[in-house]
Structure formats: structure tokens, C-alpha cells
Amino acid sequence: MGVFVRNRMTHFSLAFLCSEFSKEREKAKARGDFHKLREKQQIEEDLRGYLDWITQAEDIDPEGEERRHDEQKHGTYLALRRQRRRRRH
């Protein structure tokens, strides 16, 4: 009788562990999917910012005044982009 009880306890323990590992695997997959989606969104956001910057650069004043202003905005854009990257890592 003792061997039967021990075998059943071992079986239940293994079943429980398998269930817990399965849950952890699902959580890890969900985290990976979330990070992939977030990375894709970040790339799209960066692209929109870059395209906005390019569009503004097309309207540069030939005298250079607007160019200096755009360069300042671009510097701010790059600083924000670096800050976002640091937060991601």
C-alpha cells in the first residue's frame, strides 16, 4: 500500500509541475509577443517622426533662419528618441 501512495503522490507532483511550467511558458510567450508589438509600434512612431522632420526640412528658408530652427527641432527629436531607447532597455 505504501508504494501505491508514493507512486500516486509522485504522479500528482509531476502533473502539478508540468502544469506550472506550461503556465510559465505561456506567460513568457505572451511577454515576447508584447515586446515584439511594442518594438514594431516604436519603429512606426520613429518613422512618423522622421517623415515629419523630412517634410519640415523641405520647407527650409534659403536664408538659413528656418534651417537653424529645424536643426534645433531635430536635435530635440534625436534626444527624445535616445531617451525612448534607454527606457526600452
Side-chain angles (χ1 to χ4, degrees):
M1 186 70 158
V3 172
F4 175 75
V5 171
R6 204 172 358 181
N7 285 340
R8 291 303 277 172
M9 290 300 290
T10 302
H11 175 73
F12 286 131
S13 297
L14 290 175
F16 174 76
L17 289 174
C18 286
S19 171
E20 288 301 309
F21 283 125
S22 178
K23 289 176 190 175
E24 287 301 317
R25 184 178 31 231
E26 290 173 15
K27 287 179 188 177
K29 184 182 181 312
R31 280 191 303 269
D33 291 345
F34 171 78
H35 287 297
K36 286 178 187 175
L37 175 63
R38 183 64 188 121
E39 185 177 357
K40 181 180 176 188
Q41 290 171 339
Q42 187 66 47
I43 290 170
E44 290 171 354
E45 184 180 328
D46 288 346
L47 179 61
R48 278 193 302 274
Y50 178 72
L51 291 175
D52 288 345
W53 179 72
I54 292 294
T55 302
Q56 290 174 2
E58 292 174 350
D59 300 330
I60 292 177
D61 181 35
E63 296 300 317
E65 183 61 35
E66 193 168 329
R67 184 178 329 133
R68 280 194 296 278
H69 179 68
D70 286 346
E71 287 171 355
Q72 289 172 345
K73 280 200 256 182
H74 179 63
T76 303
Y77 167 74
L78 290 177
L80 288 173
R81 190 170 171 206
R82 281 192 296 268
Q83 187 178 29
R84 282 190 207 122
R85 282 190 179 151
R86 279 189 224 121
R87 269 192 249 137
R88 261 193 296 171
H89 300 295

